[in-house]
Amino acid sequence: VREGLGSVTRSVWRSNRWQPVVAWFTALLLSGCAGAPSALAPRGPNAQRIADLWWLMLALGSAVYLVVVALFFYGAFRRQADASLSTKRLTWAFIGVGGVAVPLVILLTVLILSARTSGAVSALAQPSDVQITVIGHQYWWEIHYPDEQVITANEIHIPVGQPVALTLSSQDVIHSFWVPELHGKLDLLPGNTNTLVIEADQPGTYRGICAEFCGPQHALMQLLVVAQEPTQFAAWLDAQRQLAREPADETLRRGQQIFLGSGCSYCHAIQGVAPPAANGAVGPDLTHVASRSTIAGAVFPNNRGNLSGWIVDPQGMKPGNKMPPTRLNGPDLLALVAYLESLK
Amino acid sequence: VATTLDRLERTWSPPAGLMGWLTAVNHRTVGLRYITTALILFLIAGAQALVIRLQLAQPGLSILSPEAYNQVFTMHGTTMMFLFAVPVMEGIGIYLVPLMIGARDMAFPRLNAFGYWVYLIAALTLYWSFLVGSAPDGGWFAYVPLTGPEYSQGLNIDYYVTAITFLEIAALVAAVELIVTIFKLRAPGMAIHRMPLFVWAILVMAFMIVFAMPPLMVGSVMLALDRMVGTHFFNVAQGGDPLLWQHLFWFFGHPEVYIVLIPALGVVSSIVATFTRRAVIGYTPIVLSIVSIGLLSFGLWVHHMYTTGLPALGENFFAAASMMIAIPSGIQIFAWIATIWEGKPVWRTPFLFVMGFLIIFVLGGITGVMVASVPFDAQVHDTYFVVAHFHYVLIGGSVFPLLGGLHYWFPKAIGKLPSERLGRWSFWLLFLGFNIAFFPMHITGFLGMPRRVYTYLPGLGWDVLNLVSTIGAFVFALGALVFAYNMVRSARHGPLADDNPWGAGTLEWATSSPPPPYNFRVVPEVRSREPLWEQERWWASEPPAERQASIVADPEAGRRETPGTSLLDGRVMTRVVLPGPSLWPLGLAIAVAITFIGSLISLWLVPIGALLTYVAIVGWTWPNRARPQAEVNVVAAETPDPQREPVAGSEAPMWWGIVMLIVIETTVFATLITSYFYLSNGAAEWPLGGFSPPDLLLPTINLGVLLLSGGAMYWGDRGIHQGNQRRLIIGLLISFALGVVFLVLKYIEYSDNDYLWDTNAYGSVVWTITGFHSAHVIALLLKTLTVLVLAWQGFFTEKRNLGVEVNGFYWQFVVVVWLPLYAVLYLAPRWL
């Protein structure tokens, strides 16, 4: 079904003289907006199917639109001497064909194509190898690989070319998981789970966005999906499965003591150092925090400056998030940051 | 003629001064108040939109804090949907419908005034919260659990739930008012197939309000209870379900979109007819289209919830329904194009707005079909694509016709002509600004920008598009200011308008501009859809003597009268006597406001407000001894016999008013029952928490008590219809006593319950349903008390008994509705 609709849509477009318009539009979306997590620059089969459906609907919709607007202006500006609709039967035919018959055919077409796409992109249609659990929090994402005993946050690694099933739920309010380049969105509900199957065609990092209003920092609740070749993915899993690295020197040991003594461990777990809270995570697991490329919900690059700033003044960087500021003197802060940076 | 006019003038003029201002009930006064207030709020919400656009002009701006931004976008949406769009459409309906159907006023003028005061108080309350910095911040859709007690602790959401619940009273009151007026007060001869298309649109809008608002009120009351008294309707941990809120909200929220669209379609029909100089082609298909849009719009709500993960089969059903609503819209578009084709358009400002409507709305309709597709919606839902889509639909479909309509009817309401030059400037600025602001948002959405974000990261490709949207928004705002300036300036300096400056065909143009307080010197007799085009100009002068009696050219001194006609063919049935200025509407509005909004201060204000409400209702409905017939409300005039008799039954507007009230209440109870089953279906065990199903003995006895009280009420009611005052009093006394017994047994039953409303969601829904029904019984007992006093005084007679009839009617409803509630509360837990 997947190839069917895609190829039908594509062949319609390939053979169509409107193709330059589409190409131009696509080029605008791609080049003019480089770096955008664009739903029209699909990098996975599900996003591709939906994009195909869109181009088809755009073609039909544009045709309808142009005809209606043209009829309006032609009718409004035509000379009275022109042929008229004045016989009653013609008028009724005009309303019947334009208002009922043609729309009915077009709508049924769209409906059938839409239902087919819907079936093809649904979780049921795609048996999946890798299982991942995503739990939404105000304003970050808790990620579990239940079969692998791996817990991380805000960064999902998946193997390229394999369907991956995400089990979505929420710890607090409703969030919505959306990686435009890979698939449409699906909500994370408290007390219920949804399943979304994503797949990436090629290696890369794809931005995900919370799409359901979830409070003051809804805007900066994002994540990254990193698609890797299967071997790299397996290596990543192996590394994530390890307990946290032991502090290698005095500074790092001091950093670990500060982590344990300054309240960090009330909310953040480090496997082998600080156990997770009994009634669910409050903040992201930091066992391998240094392996992640961003912090604070895929908002800031994970570097020493941002990490220090985030510890001391999280409310200044992302006002309204749940992390309280931690007062530390310079050397302590440096030690703590050095320790966190060692957690590869 | 002079004496007739003098008497009309004297009878219908409001008193002067502040008192006159506070007591005004005339539909044109109330309508203009609605429109002006709504337009001011439109400008305020527009200013909020500009602040939003400034904040988003560049990534990372901090003109607003995240909290402030959330308040601003919530107030923008809440104001536009609740405080602007619905009230302005109702206001236009209230202003125009009596003029278009040839009535002197609406069926319940005081209720009309009451509705406006409620609306005003609700608006002031919400903006008070905005001024003190704790405005609602959960979006106009207020999704739980974010808006629940756990995640929104300030007063912000409390303001939302109380003000919105309270505000819907105004919407419902106006809807009932419009329905009964259109049903019963049309000019003689205006059969239902001669009603202007605009009146049809208003009628359908009013019916939609009647069925759409109650579910929202039930939902917002549940949220208020969750927040204020600890119920668990939406609390997952205690068996509640957040999706129940979404179902209730969108069951209202989707029709809401069509509630503000359909009257605008009526405006388009009016403007198209006038400016093409011919009747709109396809009257019947257009009427059927409007009605079917109204019906279909109740079957679409789930398309707002595709991404919540509902079963795919159900989603595709809703996709089909959502797409099919394009057909009735298409019929209307093609009917207008055919009319324009056949006529010769005059390109004045109102017609320009119709052109803008067509270009924008059709595009929004097409993207609407797209977002109805389940998989496509998964990509664009909650992104700027949807922001673009619904602004195309709402601004294109609703605001452009509205502005065209304001320009069009301005000379009628104000008596001055608006400036054509400023009108054109405003149109082009609005049209270009709109498209510059909103077209790019389609692309912004595709590029991944979600809605309701106070800022965004740089480097995601969203910067330029957002800047363009911001520039467009300011061009649009400039257009709105030019439009407002045109209205204000023309009201002062515009050239005087004659009765029918555009050469239109409908009745509102048959009277002077602005119309006199009594609307028409002579209530016209209608024989066509465009009487001003197709009938001789007799309405300007004295009507032929033989018609005079039937069309109320000269009401008896001091009595406001308008003809009451039959529902379908517009035959004159009665003379309806309408009440004059009164302070009670304002008093009642304040009392009801204390009941609802008082809960923000202290829950004790709720019963105090309820008591004041009762006092105000008694004061309002107490018969005026000075004018002993006024309270009867309706006088028969089938013969021109001055010896008139009071009339009851379906000829009385009051009877229709009660029917509509019962329809609204039925919708409320149906929503509660649906919520009960929604919660029980989602529960692993029912009753939740291992409680056993309620005992049957006491409730079943109590059911019998309530049924008996209904019988006694009926017996007394029949008695007075035969002139037996004693039997009436005995019947009222028995049913009153049985009502008290019902409440006492209820108290005994529930004081024995081992769960409370805050135990779990089962307790919440059971206590709420029972409590709501018991509140009805209490209200009825109080109402019956006043009827008893009047009956004791011998007020009711064989002929004058509408008050008894209406009270009994409502009593029977409260009895009958207990049957399904009994089945749900006591039998369902055993069967489930």
Side-chain angles (χ1 to χ4, degrees):
Chain A
V1 179
R2 160 193 164 189
E3 286 314 313
L5 179 57
S7 59
V8 167
T9 323
R10 271 193 292 275
S11 66
V12 166
W13 280 102
R14 295 274 146 74
S15 64
N16 198 300
R17 64 201 166 86
W18 288 96
Q19 203 188 333
V21 180
V22 179
W24 175 82
F25 199 61
T26 316
L28 178 83
L29 291 178
L30 293 181
S31 65
C33 315
S38 170
L40 297 183
R43 294 288 181 265
N46 286 332
Q48 181 69 54
R49 291 182 182 103
I50 297 173
D52 288 344
L53 177 66
W54 148 253
W55 291 116
L56 194 77
M57 291 196 301
L58 177 66
L60 291 170
S62 308
V64 170
Y65 185 65
L66 292 176
V67 167
V68 170
V69 172
L71 282 174
F72 169 80
F73 280 107
Y74 181 74
F77 287 111
R78 99 200 155 87
R79 301 244 168 104
Q80 291 297 299
D82 283 4
S84 126
L85 288 172
S86 53
T87 70
K88 207 162 185 185
R89 195 187 292 170
L90 259 178
T91 311
W92 287 102
F94 182 76
I95 297 176
V97 171
V100 182
V102 173
L104 199 61
V105 171
I106 293 174
L107 290 172
L108 285 175
T109 309
V110 171
L111 191 63
I112 291 167
L113 293 175
S114 159
R116 286 182 59 183
T117 308
S118 184
V121 301
S122 78
L124 296 173
Q126 301 167 56
S128 163
D129 301 340
V130 184
Q131 302 283 331
I132 302 175
T133 303
V134 180
I135 302 168
H137 292 262
Q138 281 179 321
Y139 311 100
W140 61 281
W141 315 77
E142 182 182 348
I143 318 285
H144 290 248
Y145 292 71
D147 301 338
E148 311 290 338
Q149 312 296 322
V150 166
I151 303 174
T152 180
N154 300 330
E155 195 173 299
I156 300 177
H157 286 242
I158 59 170
V160 162
Q162 293 180 27
V164 176
L166 305 177
T167 305
L168 309 173
S169 68
S170 170
Q171 182 85 359
D172 40 48
V173 303
I174 301 175
H175 306 276
S176 196
F177 182 94
W178 185 36
V179 184
E181 292 156 288
L182 301 183
H183 201 340
K185 60 186 70 62
L186 194 58
D187 289 355
L188 292 77
L189 302 168
N192 221 328
T193 59
N194 279 325
T195 306
L196 182 74
V197 173
I198 59 170
E199 181 181 340
D201 289 335
Q202 42 190 289
T205 301
Y206 307 109
R207 186 167 288 272
I209 294 151
C210 177
E212 183 59 82
F213 178 64
C214 60
Q217 272 304 343
H218 165 58
L220 298 184
M221 176 169 172
Q222 305 192 356
L223 78 152
L224 298 177
V225 173
V226 180
Q228 294 170 304
E229 294 297 347
T231 49
Q232 284 178 301
F233 173 67
W236 177 82
L237 269 184
D238 281 341
Q240 295 288 312
R241 221 179 275 125
Q242 309 302 317
L243 294 182
R245 289 190 187 189
E246 287 299 320
D249 60 30
E250 194 49 45
T251 315
L252 299 189
R253 256 191 295 281
R254 183 154 168 233
Q256 189 184 54
Q257 290 311 311
I258 293 163
F259 177 87
L260 290 168
S262 306
C264 308
S265 58
Y266 293 137
C267 303
H268 297 283
I270 295 181
Q271 303 294 332
V273 179
N279 51 351
V282 181
D285 184 293
L286 300 180
T287 312
H288 299 288
V289 62
S291 73
R292 307 204 275 262
S293 62
T294 60
I295 59 165
V299 173
F300 305 107
N302 188 359
N303 58 37
R304 183 165 293 189
N306 283 333
L307 212 47
S308 315
W310 183 250
I311 292 165
V312 177
D313 185 21
Q315 295 302 321
M317 291 174 75
K318 194 170 160 181
N321 87 84
K322 303 286 178 191
M323 175 147 154
T326 308
R327 279 163 180 261
L328 291 174
N329 61 34
D332 285 357
L333 180 62
L334 284 177
L336 177 58
V337 170
Y339 173 63
L340 293 175
E341 285 186 313
S342 77
L343 298 174
K344 299 274 187 209
Chain B
V1 178
T3 53
T4 310
L5 276 187
D6 285 347
R7 266 187 283 177
L8 273 171
E9 188 78 45
R10 203 168 48 241
T11 309
W12 288 87
S13 292
L18 178 67
M19 208 53 185
W21 198 82
L22 291 176
T23 59
V25 294
N26 181 285
H27 78 95
R28 286 185 302 106
T29 312
V30 174
L32 276 185
R33 283 178 186 179
Y34 262 109
I35 295 168
T36 324
T37 313
L39 287 177
I40 291 170
L41 287 159
F42 177 62
L43 291 178
I44 293 173
Q48 288 160 349
L50 292 182
V51 179
I52 290 173
R53 282 316 321 165
L54 277 180
Q55 169 90 358
L56 296 179
Q58 291 287 295
L61 293 183
S62 50
I63 297 163
L64 297 170
S65 69
E67 289 80 6
Y69 182 89
N70 291 347
Q71 293 189 15
V72 169
F73 91 72
T74 301
M75 286 301 282
H76 170 74
T78 306
T79 307
M80 286 297 191
M81 296 306 283
F82 289 116
L83 296 177
F84 162 67
V86 176
V88 83
M89 292 303 175
E90 289 185 328
I92 289 191
I94 286 169
Y95 188 94
L96 284 175
V97 161
L99 288 167
M100 279 195 175
I101 64 174
R104 294 204 191 282
D105 205 331
M106 300 189 80
F108 312 114
R110 292 184 297 182
L111 209 55
N112 220 0
F114 165 71
Y116 173 75
W117 294 121
V118 168
Y119 164 52
L120 183 66
I121 294 171
L124 291 175
T125 307
L126 270 177
Y127 271 87
W128 167 258
S129 79
F130 192 63
L131 287 179
V132 299
S134 49
D137 54 2
W140 85 289
F141 50 97
Y143 273 13
V144 288
L146 182 60
T147 54
E150 198 176 342
Y151 299 102
S152 292
Q153 271 152 3
L155 275 179
N156 310 50
I157 304 296
D158 295 327
Y159 276 111
Y160 173 89
V161 289
T162 47
I164 294 305
T165 313
F166 178 61
L167 175 67
E168 298 322 330
I169 296 173
L172 286 167
V173 157
V176 170
E177 176 90 44
L178 286 162
I179 290 171
V180 179
T181 303
I182 294 170
F183 273 3
K184 295 310 293 176
L185 300 191
R186 299 197 306 275
M190 186 180 278
I192 203 130
H193 62 274
R194 288 187 188 136
M195 268 168 32
L197 286 168
F198 176 82
V199 177
W200 269 108
I202 292 289
L203 181 65
V204 172
M205 172 198 79
F207 267 105
M208 291 176 70
I209 289 175
V210 162
F211 289 107
M213 295 295 175
L216 173 70
M217 290 179 81
V218 171
S220 55
V221 167
M222 284 176 177
L223 182 52
L225 292 174
D226 267 14
R227 295 181 58 84
M228 293 177 185
V229 301
T231 55
H232 299 292
F233 288 105
F234 308 124
N235 179 6
V236 174
Q238 293 297 342
D241 190 341
L243 289 187
L244 173 61
W245 167 264
Q246 294 192 21
H247 281 292
L248 293 175
F249 186 83
W250 290 116
F251 189 83
F252 142 82
H254 198 77
E256 160 87 354
V257 174
Y258 291 90
I259 285 169
V260 304
L261 173 70
I262 284 178
L265 301 181
V267 172
V268 170
S269 286
S270 296
I271 294 176
V272 165
T274 299
F275 290 84
T276 58
R277 299 286 182 264
R278 58 154 301 138
V280 173
I281 292 174
Y283 178 92
T284 310
I286 288 182
V287 168
L288 293 176
S289 297
I290 299 174
V291 173
S292 48
I293 290 177
L295 290 172
L296 272 174
S297 71
F298 283 91
L300 315 182
W301 80 93
V302 167
H303 75 211
H304 295 267
M305 300 170 62
Y306 285 160
T307 63
T308 57
L310 298 169
L313 185 67
E315 288 189 337
N316 281 326
F317 166 80
F318 283 98
S322 307
M323 290 183 189
M324 288 312 144
I325 207 162
I327 303 259
S329 314
I331 290 173
Q332 291 191 71
I333 301 274
F334 274 78
W336 292 319
I337 291 179
T339 311
I340 290 162
W341 200 296
E342 288 295 290
K344 196 177 174 186
V346 181
W347 288 87
R348 304 293 291 274
T349 302
F351 195 76
L352 282 178
F353 275 103
V354 165
M355 178 191 82
F357 152 79
L358 196 107
I359 293 173
I360 297 171
F361 174 68
V362 172
L363 200 158
I366 287 170
T367 54
V369 170
M370 293 172 177
V371 296
S373 154
V374 180
F376 180 68
D377 184 67
Q379 279 289 15
V380 297
H381 178 74
D382 273 342
T383 71
Y384 266 83
F385 185 93
V386 169
V387 177
H389 155 69
F390 73 74
H391 282 91
Y392 267 79
V393 175
L394 287 172
I395 295 188
S398 200
V399 174
F400 270 74
L402 170 73
L403 296 179
L406 287 176
H407 194 99
Y408 173 60
W409 281 297
F410 183 85
K412 176 53 60 188
I414 309 296
K416 305 277 182 66
L417 288 170
S419 155
E420 181 63 20
R421 202 164 61 90
L422 286 173
R424 282 165 193 262
W425 270 101
S426 65
F427 169 76
W428 285 110
L429 285 169
L430 287 163
F431 181 76
L432 292 175
F434 174 82
N435 285 293
I436 296 169
F438 290 99
F439 192 81
M441 289 184 190
H442 292 107
I443 303 167
T444 324
F446 273 130
L447 296 183
M449 182 158 166
R451 299 168 69 179
R452 302 155 186 154
V453 291
Y454 76 95
T455 191
Y456 50 94
L457 299 173
L460 297 183
W462 305 344
D463 312 10
V464 175
L465 291 164
N466 271 297
L467 185 60
V468 172
S469 288
T470 300
I471 293 168
F474 277 86
V475 177
F476 185 81
L478 187 63
L481 285 183
V482 173
F483 190 94
Y485 173 69
N486 189 12
M487 298 291 108
V488 174
R489 183 179 165 278
S490 304
R492 303 180 60 164
H493 307 295
L496 286 179
D498 62 21
D499 290 4
N500 191 1
W502 311 108
T506 39
L507 277 183
E508 76 273 26
W509 303 102
T511 183
S512 60
S513 302
Y518 43 88
N519 282 355
F520 299 92
R521 176 187 295 182
V522 174
V523 171
E525 189 171 302
V526 175
R527 276 172 278 124
S528 64
R529 282 181 196 149
E530 270 86 13
L532 274 65
W533 289 345
E534 292 161 34
Q535 290 177 222
E536 76 278 24
R537 291 182 55 83
W538 55 266
W539 50 79
S541 58
E542 197 74 345
E546 72 274 11
R547 273 203 229 131
Q548 195 153 13
S550 68
I551 58 185
V552 206
D554 182 16
E556 283 177 27
R559 269 218 324 239
R560 298 184 171 198
E561 290 186 346
T562 195
T565 47
S566 62
L567 177 60
L568 291 178
D569 49 8
R571 261 181 311 113
V572 180
M573 308 286 285
T574 56
R575 289 186 185 198
V576 177
V577 179
L578 300 172
S582 163
L583 207 51
W584 284 114
L586 179 57
L588 182 62
I590 292 171
V592 181
I594 292 170
T595 320
F596 280 83
I597 294 164
S599 66
L600 287 168
I601 301 161
S602 159
L603 286 180
W604 284 109
L605 283 173
V606 176
I608 293 172
L611 198 67
L612 290 174
T613 302
Y614 173 64
V615 171
I617 289 176
V618 171
W620 177 320
T621 52
W622 202 256
N624 185 341
R625 303 286 162 166
R627 289 190 296 151
Q629 289 204 339
E631 87 286 348
V632 180
N633 217 22
V634 175
V635 197
E638 275 143 271
T639 54
D641 184 358
Q643 203 62 24
R644 297 196 190 99
E645 293 172 342
V647 166
S650 67
E651 280 173 28
M654 180 57 97
W655 188 87
W656 285 95
I658 291 295
V659 168
M660 293 318 299
L661 177 64
I662 287 174
V663 170
I664 292 169
E665 295 266 30
T666 307
T667 316
V668 169
F669 280 109
T671 310
L672 283 169
I673 292 173
T674 312
S675 303
Y676 179 97
F677 285 117
Y678 186 88
L679 290 171
S680 73
N681 283 346
E685 49 164 2
W686 194 261
L688 288 165
F691 297 107
S692 49
D695 283 338
L696 283 183
L697 181 63
L698 192 57
T700 310
I701 293 172
N702 219 1
L703 176 69
V705 169
L706 198 62
L707 288 172
L708 278 177
S709 81
M713 184 60 83
Y714 181 77
W715 181 75
D717 191 359
R718 285 298 100 199
I720 194 65
H721 275 83
Q722 295 153 17
N724 190 338
Q725 296 189 346
R726 213 174 114 85
R727 198 173 131 185
L728 171 66
I729 292 170
I730 294 171
L732 287 171
L733 278 173
I734 294 174
S735 47
F736 186 88
L738 289 173
V740 172
V741 170
F742 176 82
L743 287 177
V744 170
L745 290 180
K746 193 119 268 221
Y747 176 79
I748 293 170
E749 179 196 341
Y750 270 73
S751 55
D752 206 25
N753 256 1
D754 35 13
Y755 50 87
L756 290 175
W757 56 87
D758 57 359
T759 305
N760 57 33
Y762 173 75
S764 305
V765 73
V766 167
W767 277 85
T768 303
I769 290 177
T770 301
F772 190 63
H773 183 264
S774 300
H776 278 75
V777 176
I778 293 170
L780 262 179
L781 288 178
L782 291 171
K783 183 81 183 72
T784 303
L785 209 56
T786 64
V787 176
L788 246 173
V789 171
L790 283 172
W792 202 270
Q793 295 174 344
F795 177 80
F796 298 110
T797 65
E798 189 180 349
K799 301 288 181 191
R800 184 169 59 193
N801 50 40
L802 188 62
V804 178
E805 193 174 9
V806 160
N807 189 58
F809 201 170
Y810 198 62
W811 187 289
Q812 304 301 353
F813 166 71
V814 173
V815 171
V816 169
V817 84
W818 185 243
L819 290 169
L821 294 179
Y822 170 85
V824 169
L825 293 178
Y826 300 101
L827 305 181
R830 291 163 189 278
W831 297 338
L832 286 173

